[in-house]
Every structure is written in structure tokens, then in C-alpha cells.
């Protein structure tokens, strides 16, 4: 899997020069983030962290990841419409995990009232690592699928150009010309635009539901700008604004400041800290409305780790996607081993297996956003403590994926340039729109490659661990 940059990595002067070019190219291209010190002002910005060099990705696995994305879109959509499945799968989790329980309560409440929403928009990102088998052959293994607030589709639309320039500076024009164009922000916007159009009210706006702290605003602006270019109005609001100024009319149309909202695109609302009592009320108001939520609460629940684990059980995919034999096979081929820690004999056995050999596994709670998983000695200690308590059912266990590391330089503002041993995670963006029973759009909308130094077990770009990258197919 080695990329042809071995010669470059040893040439310190060339690396220094290329890094200077890279940083300026990133700033010029708009690979930007607000700073930690001033997370809500655009007066001071810096480049988002990225690799100096594109990382090698096996082309067969890259194609496999694209080829299975429409299947995953269908699957997530099917789960979101299957009350019986969600109820049964999350039954043990919601007894012990308060956050999932609250989301689930809203889900049930909305169903009891009857859905006002009839157009559905899914934007997800399925993430993978390349597991290195005993014979050294890499295999595509899904880490998770993100069904809410999947980010970096905007900034990553601009990284290929930066890496292309770096390669040219390093005398590798031929390789530069082989980098693939990639524009998830356009694909995401096409989905939002389609949902907006199907909603059918030309004066209604698209509302980006955003966090209080908005360091990653430029990533979102990339998508916003694509919508403005199509003459669709975009407003940015927080849960707090919805609580104060949101309302529903008799037909449960959503209004913000007197303006009808056609689509609510959540870039917030995926972790407990996003919610206080008022924000929960705002979430309920949005979910009850006729507006297209991306995602609706059912689709958010479809992205929980517990659902992911249940999908790996024999027969589950076949039940969720009847008649889709080939799609089921493509999906299953990407699954790593996933295990339930539910109370019972089977769960006892799994817990004992993990405690005996913690380095083989990852222990995952029902959380998003990076930095929550447990590994190695810590996994062992935590699992030992909770092995006889129902608390253990708030976690799932997963086989640890072991990719082949490669050397690269990670460029971060205010950090010295040094070479690191790195591993990468490939994400494919999926976008789909359903109106009633009819799928009116189902696409793979681009990719994201994130790379991190191997000493970090966990964490994404927003968490300050991984950096943006571009795949170099080998
Ligand atoms: P989150 O919802 O917090 O993003 P993930 O399941 O994506 O949770 O895990 C976070 C990070 O932990 C991943 O980006 C990856 O680096 C690492 N990780 C997760 N699962 C595994 C696994 N099975 N094997 C190896 N690393 C993993
Ligand atoms: Mg993740």
C-alpha cells in the first residue's frame, strides 16, 4: 500500500518547502477553521489540519466503498421506517442510556401524533478502515455510519487541489494529475435542494441547525453557498433560537421569525451536551413539524452503535432488505465482528472474552463525535467493573481493525513539522431523498479521507486528532 513518496520523505529541505506551499495553498483554497481562541468569529481563522502528502488507498477497496453506498442508503432508510426493529433493538439500551432514551421518547411521541413529514432527506457518511489480514491483504471494514451531522464534506471538496499542488512542487506532476476530483458539498447541496423542491413551497427556506460554538463554520458554508447558487435561501439558527422563535401552524408547517422552513439540516444535536431542557423542547417541535428534517429522529436512531451491532446478527439484513440479496451481500462484506453485551449468558461470554484479550477489541458507548471508545487496558478495567451490571448494555464490543501504517507529515497550525506513522479512515457520503414510498434520489456524493498518527486510538478532525487527507489510489 506504499505511496511513491519514499524519496520525498527523506528529503528534509524539499519537505520544508512543500509544507510552506501547502499551508498557503490550503488558506487560498478555503480549507479553513476558526480558532480555538475565537471559535465564533471569522476575524481570525487558520487552516484546518491536513496531511502534507496524499495517502495511498487501494483502488479496489475505494471502489468497493463507493459501490456499497447506495445499499447503505437504502438500509438506513429502511431501518428508519421500521418501528418494530428500532423498538426491539434499542429496548435494552434505552433502559441504561439516558441520551438514547430521550431521543427514543421523542421518536415515539412523534409517531403517536402521526407524522406530518412526508419528504425525507438522508445525508450520511459511512466510515471504513483497511484491515490488514494475516497475509497482508487489506480488507474494507466499516467503522460506523454517521446519520446525523456528518461533517467535512465541504472542506474536503478543496483538499485535492492542495495536494495536487504539493505533488507538483515535489516534482510529481504525473501523480498530481491522478488525484481524483471530489465535491461532496455539491452532492449534499443537491440532496438538500431536491428535498426543498419536493417540499413544494418556493418561498420557504433551508435552516442549518448549528451549534453554539461554530469553529467548523467554513465546512458548512461550502454547502450553504451551493444552495445560494441555486437561489435557495439558507438561514443558520441554534436550538435556542428555535425555542424562542419557532412555531407550528395548524398544518404543522414550521416557521422561524415568520419564515416558513422547508428543510432542517442538523449540524448539531448528536451528543448529550448539545441539549438542555429548552433544546429538547426545540428538538421536539422540529420533529413534530412538517419540515424535512435531515435526519428525522428515526434516522438518527438508525445510526446508533447498538443498531450497527444488531445489523451484524445473522438474518437481520435479510429481514430489513427483503429481495435485495446482492445489496445484503455487499453490505455484509464490510462488517467487522460486532458483539452484544446485553444481560445474559451470551453477553457474559463476550465480556469474558474481551477481558481476557482486550487488545483484540474496541468497547463503544452510544456516543458520537470521537474520543468515547475504550481500548486495551482501559477497556479491560471498565468492562471488569461493569461486567455484572446492566450498565454494560449501554456499550457494544467490536473487533479492532488493524491497518498497515504509512509515514506522512501532519500539518497543524502552531505545531512543528515532524514525520509520523499514520493510519487512515475513508468515509463515503451518501445522499437520498424519499417522498412517501418513492425514492427520488439515491447517490454516493463523494469521499473524505482522514488520517491520524497511530498513537491515537480514537478521535476525528473536530476532536483534534485526525487531519484531512486525499486518497492516492494504488
Ligand atoms: P464516533 O461516533 O465517536 O466517531 P467511531 O465508531 O467512529 O465513533 O470511533 C471513533 C474512532 O475510533 C474512529 O474514527 C477510529 O479511529 C477508531 N475506531 C473505532 N472503531 C474502531 C475499530 N473497530 N478498530 C479500530 N479503530 C476503531
Ligand atoms: Mg466516527
Amino acid at each position: 500500500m506504499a505511496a511513491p513518496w519514499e524519496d520525498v520523505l527523506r528529503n528534509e529541505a524539499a519537505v520544508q518547502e512543500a509544507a510552506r506551499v501547502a499551508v498557503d495553498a490550503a488558506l487560498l483554497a478555503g480549507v479553513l477553521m476558526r480558532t480555538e481562541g475565537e471559535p465564533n468569529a471569522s476575524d481570525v481563522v487558520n487552516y484546518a489540519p491536513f496531511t502534507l502528502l496524499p495517502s495511498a488507498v487501494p483502488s479496489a477497496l475505494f471502489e468497493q466503498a463507493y459501490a456499497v453506498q447506495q445499499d447503505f442508503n437504502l438500509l438506513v432508510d429502511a431501518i428508519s421506517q421500521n418501528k418494530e426493529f428500532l423498538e426491539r433493538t434499542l429496548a435494552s439500551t434505552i433502559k441504561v442510556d439516558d441520551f438514547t432514551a430521550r431521543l427514543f421518547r421523542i421518536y415515539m411521541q412523534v409517531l403517536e401524533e402521526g407524522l406530518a413529514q412526508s419528504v425525507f432527506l438522508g445525508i450520511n457518511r459511512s466510515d471504513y478502515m483497511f484491515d490488514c489480514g494475516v497475509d497482508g491483504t487489506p480488507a474494507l471494514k466499516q467503522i460506523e455510519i454517521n446519520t446525523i451531522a456528518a461533517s467535512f464534506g465541504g472542506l474536503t471538496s478543496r483538499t485535492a487541489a492542495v495536494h495536487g499542488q504539493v505533488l507538483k512542487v515535489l516534482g510529481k506532476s504525473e501523480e498530481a494529475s491522478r488525484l481524483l476530483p471530489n465535491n461532496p458539498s455539491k452532492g449534499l447541496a443537491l440532496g438538500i435542494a431536491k428535498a426543498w423542491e419536493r417540499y413544494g413551497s418556493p418561498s420557504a427556506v433551508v435552516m442549518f441547525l448549528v451549534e453554539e460554538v461554530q469553529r467548523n463554520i467554513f465546512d458548512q458554508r461550502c454547502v450553504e453557498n451551493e444552495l445560494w447558487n441555486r437561489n435557495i435561501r439558507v438561514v443558520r439558527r441554534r436550538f435556542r433560537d428555535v425555542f424562542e422563535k419557532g412555531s407550528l401552524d395548524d398544518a404543522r408547517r414550521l416557521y422561524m421569525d415568520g419564515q416558513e422552513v422547508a428543510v432542517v439540516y442538523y449540524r448539531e444535536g448528536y451528543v448529550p451536551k448539545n441539549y438542555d431542557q429548552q433544546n429538547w423542547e426545540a428538538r421536539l417541535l422540529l420533529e413534530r413539524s412538517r419540515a424535512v428534517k435531515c435526519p428525522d429522529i428515526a434516522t438518527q436512531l438508525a445510526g446508533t452503535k447498538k443498531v450497527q451491532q444488531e445489523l451484524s446478527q445473522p438474518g437481520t439484513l435479510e429481514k430489513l432488505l427483503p429481495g435485495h440479496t446482492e445489496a445484503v451481500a455487499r453490505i455484509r462484506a464490510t462488517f467487522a465482528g460486532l458483539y452484544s453485551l446485553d444481560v445474559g449468558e451470551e453477553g457474559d461470554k463476550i465480556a469474558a472474552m474481551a477481558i481476557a484479550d482486550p487488545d483484540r477489541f474496541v468497547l463503544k458507548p452510544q456516543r458520537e463525535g470521537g474520543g468515547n471508545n475504550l481500548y486495551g487496558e482501559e477497556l479491560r478495567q471498565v468492562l471488569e467493573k461493569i461486567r455484572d451490571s446492566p450498565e454494560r448494555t449501554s456499550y457494544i464490543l467490536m473487533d479492532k481493525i488493524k491497518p498497515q501504517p504509512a509515514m506522512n507529515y501532519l500539518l497543524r497550525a502552531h505545531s512543528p513539522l515532524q514525520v509520523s506513522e499514520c493510519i487512515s479512515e475513508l468515509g463515503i457520503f451518501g445522499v437520498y431523498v424519499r417522498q412517501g414510498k418513492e425514492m427520488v434520489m439515491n447517490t454516493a456524493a463523494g469521499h473524505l479521507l482522514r488520517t491520524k498518527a497511530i498513537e491515537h486510538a480514537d478521535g476525528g478532525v473536530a476532536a483534534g486528532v485526525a487531519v484531512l487527507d486525499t486518497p492516492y489510489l494504488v
Side-chain angles (χ1 to χ4, degrees):
M1 261 223 285
W5 328 130
E6 294 292 314
D7 51 338
V8 171
L9 288 164
R10 282 189 294 271
N11 184 340
E12 200 174 319
V15 164
Q16 293 284 352
E17 168 62 11
R20 281 191 291 273
V21 170
V23 166
D24 289 343
L27 286 160
L28 271 175
V31 185
L32 302 174
M33 267 181 143
R34 286 175 173 169
T35 61
E36 231 175 305
E38 289 197 55
N40 281 337
S42 293
D43 306 59
V44 190
V45 298
N46 217 321
Y47 61 95
F50 64 102
T51 57
L52 177 65
L53 296 157
S55 292
V57 167
S59 57
L61 303 191
F62 186 80
E63 279 159 27
Q64 186 190 351
Y66 264 94
V68 72
Q69 187 55 45
Q70 284 164 303
D71 305 326
F72 271 117
N73 292 345
L74 278 184
L75 177 64
V76 171
D77 186 51
I79 297 167
S80 78
Q81 295 175 77
N82 194 327
K83 173 166 174 266
E84 190 272 325
F85 174 80
L86 283 174
E87 250 184 321
R88 181 167 46 77
T89 303
L90 295 173
S92 57
T93 309
I94 61 178
K95 280 190 202 137
V96 288
D97 188 77
D98 198 44
F99 180 61
T100 312
R102 282 202 92 146
L103 294 172
F104 195 80
R105 276 215 295 283
I106 294 182
Y107 169 60
M108 292 305 273
Q109 198 170 335
V110 169
L111 281 186
E112 267 157 39
E113 187 180 17
L115 289 186
Q117 180 178 350
S118 61
V119 177
F120 296 84
L121 165 64
I123 293 180
N124 62 56
R125 200 189 65 224
S126 183
D127 290 336
Y128 308 89
M129 281 182 171
F130 314 115
D131 196 26
C132 196
V134 268
D135 61 349
T137 319
L140 186 76
K141 290 296 160 198
Q142 187 183 49
I143 296 294
E144 64 157 348
I145 187 158
N146 303 280
T147 60
I148 180 166
S151 59
F152 292 107
L155 296 189
T156 201
S157 300
R158 288 138 191 250
T159 52
V162 176
H163 283 122
Q165 194 178 341
V166 169
L167 290 183
K168 284 183 198 165
V169 167
L170 292 167
K172 300 195 177 288
S173 307
E174 214 282 300
E175 288 85 345
S177 69
R178 291 182 46 202
L179 295 179
L180 298 172
N182 181 36
N183 195 351
S185 54
K186 184 169 175 203
L188 269 51
L190 286 174
I192 296 172
K194 174 67 85 184
W196 174 85
E197 179 196 308
R198 291 286 172 141
Y199 179 86
S201 177
S203 63
V205 302
V206 170
M207 176 165 77
F208 281 39
L209 207 286
V210 297
E211 289 177 277
E212 294 283 339
V213 174
Q214 299 175 34
R215 267 195 83 189
N216 202 17
I217 190 167
F218 299 106
D219 183 52
Q220 300 163 7
R221 292 283 195 211
C222 293
V223 183
E224 278 179 59
N225 287 355
E226 293 279 352
L227 290 166
W228 284 108
N229 289 344
R230 289 168 177 75
N231 289 314
I232 297 174
R233 292 189 70 81
V234 180
V235 298
R236 299 173 58 86
R237 297 287 184 275
R238 300 158 304 175
F239 274 132
R240 179 170 14 154
D241 305 310
V242 174
F243 179 81
E244 284 167 7
K245 295 186 179 147
S247 64
L248 306 185
D249 72 3
D250 291 344
R252 282 191 268 159
R253 290 187 201 90
L254 173 66
Y255 287 86
M256 277 297 296
D257 314 296
Q259 239 172 355
E260 187 178 359
V261 177
V263 179
V264 180
Y265 173 46
Y266 290 103
R267 293 296 296 255
E268 143 90 325
Y270 52 96
V271 282
K273 75 167 168 31
N274 294 155
Y275 293 94
D276 56 17
Q277 188 49 36
Q278 292 191 352
N279 290 4
W280 280 117
E281 283 175 37
R283 179 74 197 259
L284 178 61
L285 182 90
L286 297 174
E287 293 304 320
R288 291 182 54 230
S289 80
R290 175 187 278 290
V292 182
K293 273 78 64 183
C294 179
D296 68 335
I297 195 124
T299 304
Q300 181 173 359
L301 288 170
T304 52
K305 308 277 191 286
K306 183 63 194 177
V307 165
Q308 180 186 9
Q309 179 265 309
E310 177 59 31
L311 293 176
S312 73
Q313 294 296 302
T316 304
L317 288 175
E318 286 80 357
K319 268 192 222 128
L320 288 165
L321 292 176
H324 290 84
T325 316
E326 287 170 13
V328 164
R330 280 189 294 265
I331 290 171
R332 179 161 293 124
T334 68
F335 285 172
L338 288 147
Y339 314 90
S340 163
L341 289 163
D342 281 3
V343 175
E345 221 173 280
E346 188 58 28
D348 292 344
K349 255 195 259 165
I350 299 297
M353 172 176 85
I355 286 167
D357 197 357
D359 285 330
R360 254 186 66 203
F361 302 100
V362 181
L363 185 63
K364 299 189 174 189
Q366 308 302 309
R367 290 292 170 271
E368 303 295 326
N372 304 298
N373 300 336
L374 300 168
Y375 305 81
E377 184 50 27
E378 202 185 355
L379 179 160
R380 196 185 59 73
Q381 280 174 14
V382 169
L383 205 47
E384 216 147 49
K385 210 168 81 201
I386 61 172
R387 71 189 292 180
D388 297 319
S389 128
E391 196 192 333
R392 108 182 164 198
T393 57
S394 64
Y395 293 88
I396 63 150
L397 191 73
M398 184 173 183
D399 282 343
K400 189 165 167 187
I401 310 304
K402 296 183 171 153
Q404 178 73 49
M407 304 308 273
N408 209 329
Y409 288 84
L410 308 184
L411 301 177
R412 270 201 189 88
H414 314 296
S415 294
L417 192 62
Q418 74 192 43
V419 73
S420 306
E421 233 183 319
C422 298
I423 54 175
S424 301
E425 185 169 342
L426 174 69
I428 308 291
F429 287 95
V431 179
Y432 59 90
V433 177
R434 172 168 56 81
Q435 184 163 27
K437 291 274 158 223
E438 188 200 356
M439 271 291 197
V440 294
M441 179 187 273
N442 180 3
T443 59
H447 55 267
L448 166 71
L449 192 71
R450 292 173 298 168
T451 292
K452 63 180 185 184
I454 49 166
E455 54 267 26
H456 297 288
D458 205 318
V461 180
V465 171
V467 307
L468 301 171
D469 198 348
T470 298
Y472 182 80
L473 299 189
V474 293

